[in-house]
Amino acid sequence: MNYSIFLFLAAILSGFALIQVPIAGTFLASLAPFTTVVGLLTVLIFSLVIIYKGFRHLFNK
C-alpha cells in the first residue's frame, strides 16, 4: 500500500485547517492573510500531486 497518499491527504486536511483557523482577535491576527495563502497553496499543491500520481498509476498499468 502506498502510504505517501495518506500523507498527502493529511497535508490537504492541514491546509484546510489553516484556511479555517479562527485567529481574529488574538495576537496572531496579523498573520491571517499569511495562513490563508499558505493553506491555499498547500491544498492546491498536494491535490495536484495526488491527481498526478493517480494519472501515472492509471496509465502505467
Side-chain angles (χ1 to χ4, degrees), residues 39-50:
L40 287 172
L41 286 175
T42 303
V43 170
L44 181 66
I45 289 170
F46 285 105
S47 296
L48 289 174
V49 168
I50 289 177

Side-chain angles (χ1 to χ4, degrees), residues 12-28:
I12 291 172
L13 290 175
S14 300
F16 280 123
L18 274 176
I19 293 170
Q20 296 295 324
V21 67
I23 57 175
T26 66
F27 68 96
L28 296 173

Side-chain angles (χ1 to χ4, degrees), residues 24-41:
T26 66
F27 68 96
L28 296 173
S30 63
L31 295 176
F34 178 72
T35 58
T36 302
V37 169
V38 169
L40 287 172
L41 286 175

